[in-house]
């Protein structure tokens, strides 16, 4: 799904003759059209939902809609300070790249396994843990790799976004699976694991988590772009000092 989003952003940008208008009103309007079109372009049935979560739900799941869950996720994931994708978006905006190029820059940074792909890794780990939480944890620890969906570079004790999202699942068995793992690790569930839990609870497509994260961040990137457009251009132009070998 995220690959579709990348291609669609580039195509929509090329088709917008007014994309170089970076005034606040124009950028805000373009962002609304862009995100709405991207959701409509995703595979799956369309619906006239009153919120983005309502329109996005049938693209991810055929279960009884709970748009408030997706709306909460979109809000909580929209921004998280200067994450690498946000820095990429702001750098592009500082050079006065148009909104579509700014979003493309953010999507490029989001493509890494340590950022935008994290929900999928957490989803796959949770799939194994649903059958046997202790074995899944043991196998992961044996691999020497971090446990997907646990811990965070910024948060030290808890991820408040995960607390909210997991709370929306109530007493669903997947929450019990997470608790069983958390009791045996020194870390805590993060938002990636919470998204993975929602995906399992409501039968989402396996690639839905990455797309959800990308769409949410587009809102945040737009806000950052608006700030950057109002600031002096090329603020991120730094000097490189050569420290290698001399001849």
């Amino acid at each position: 799904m995220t690959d579709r989003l990348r291609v669609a952003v580039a195509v929509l940008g090329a088709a917008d003759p007014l994309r170089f208008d970076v005034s606040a009103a124009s950028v805000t309007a373009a962002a609304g059209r862009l995100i709405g079109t991207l959701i409509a372009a995703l595979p799956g049935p369309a619906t006239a939902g009153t919120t983005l979560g309502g329109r996005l739900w049938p693209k991810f799941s055929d279960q009884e809609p709970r748009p408030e869950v997706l709306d909460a996720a979109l809000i909580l994931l929209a921004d998280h300070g200067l994450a690498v994708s946000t820095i990429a978006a702001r750098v592009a905006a500082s050079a006065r790249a148009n909104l579509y190029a700014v979003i493309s820059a953010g999507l490029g940074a989001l493509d890494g396994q340590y950022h935008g792909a994290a929900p999928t890794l957490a989803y796959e780990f949770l799939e194994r843990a649903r059958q046997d939480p202790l074995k899944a944890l043991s196998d992961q620890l044996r691999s020497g790799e971090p446990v997907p969906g646990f811990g965070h570079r910024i948060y030290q004790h808890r991820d408040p976004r995960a607390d909210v999202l997991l709370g929306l699942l109530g007493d669903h068995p997947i929450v019990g699976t997470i608790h069983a793992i958390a009791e045996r690790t020194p870390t805590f569930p993060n938002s990636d694991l919470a998204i993975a839990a929602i995906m399992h609870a409501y039968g989402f497509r396996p690639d839905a988590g990455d797309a959800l994260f990308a769409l949410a961040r587009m809102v945040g990137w737009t806000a950052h772009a608006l700030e950057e457009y109002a600031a002096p251009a090329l603020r991120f132009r730094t000097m490189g000092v050569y420290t290698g070998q001399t001849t």
Side-chain angles (χ1 to χ4, degrees):
M1 275 189 164
T2 312
D3 289 336
R4 286 174 176 260
L5 295 178
R6 292 189 184 92
V7 173
V9 170
V11 172
L12 291 169
D16 185 354
L18 301 179
R19 63 187 180 275
F20 296 108
D21 182 355
V22 295
S23 65
S26 179
V27 169
T28 302
R33 293 192 303 270
L34 172 64
I35 295 173
T37 303
L38 291 177
I39 291 176
L42 289 174
T47 181
T50 57
T51 67
L52 287 181
R55 294 162 62 187
L56 194 55
W57 187 278
K59 303 292 186 174
F60 290 166
S61 173
D62 57 6
Q63 292 190 19
E64 185 69 22
R66 284 200 60 191
E68 71 277 8
V69 173
L70 280 182
D71 285 328
L74 288 166
I75 292 169
L76 290 168
L77 299 176
D79 186 48
H80 200 235
L82 293 177
V84 291
S85 58
T86 302
I87 292 177
R90 290 198 77 125
V91 169
S94 76
R96 297 301 182 262
N98 64 75
L99 178 67
Y100 303 92
V102 168
I103 298 297
S104 292
L107 287 172
L110 202 70
D111 194 39
Q113 62 174 320
Y114 294 112
H115 194 20
T120 293
L121 298 177
Y123 175 86
E124 293 171 350
F125 171 72
L126 203 52
E127 175 66 27
R128 301 192 299 273
R130 293 180 68 182
Q131 308 302 319
D132 189 334
L134 187 58
K135 183 178 186 304
L137 177 59
S138 176
D139 291 344
Q140 189 66 32
L141 293 174
R142 184 179 183 182
S143 73
E145 296 295 326
V147 181
F150 282 84
H152 197 273
R153 283 182 173 269
I154 304 299
Y155 300 118
Q156 299 299 312
H157 304 291
R158 54 184 283 268
D159 185 337
R161 302 167 300 173
D163 294 344
V164 173
L165 293 174
L166 292 175
L168 294 175
L169 298 180
D171 58 356
H172 192 282
I174 200 67
V175 178
T177 299
I178 292 174
H179 288 327
I181 299 171
E183 290 172 354
R184 293 172 171 83
T185 64
T187 56
F188 51 90
N190 60 32
S191 61
D192 299 319
L193 193 70
I195 293 301
I198 290 173
M199 293 167 65
H200 281 290
Y202 297 110
F204 282 11
R205 291 173 48 125
D207 57 351
D210 293 359
L212 173 62
F213 188 57
L215 287 166
R217 281 297 160 95
M218 288 180 194
V219 178
W221 296 335
T222 300
H224 280 274
L226 288 169
E227 287 187 352
E228 204 58 50
Y229 290 147
L234 295 174
R235 293 195 303 148
F236 290 90
R237 180 64 171 91
T238 59
M239 293 295 293
V241 178
Y242 180 72
T243 60
Q245 295 180 345
T246 59
T247 57

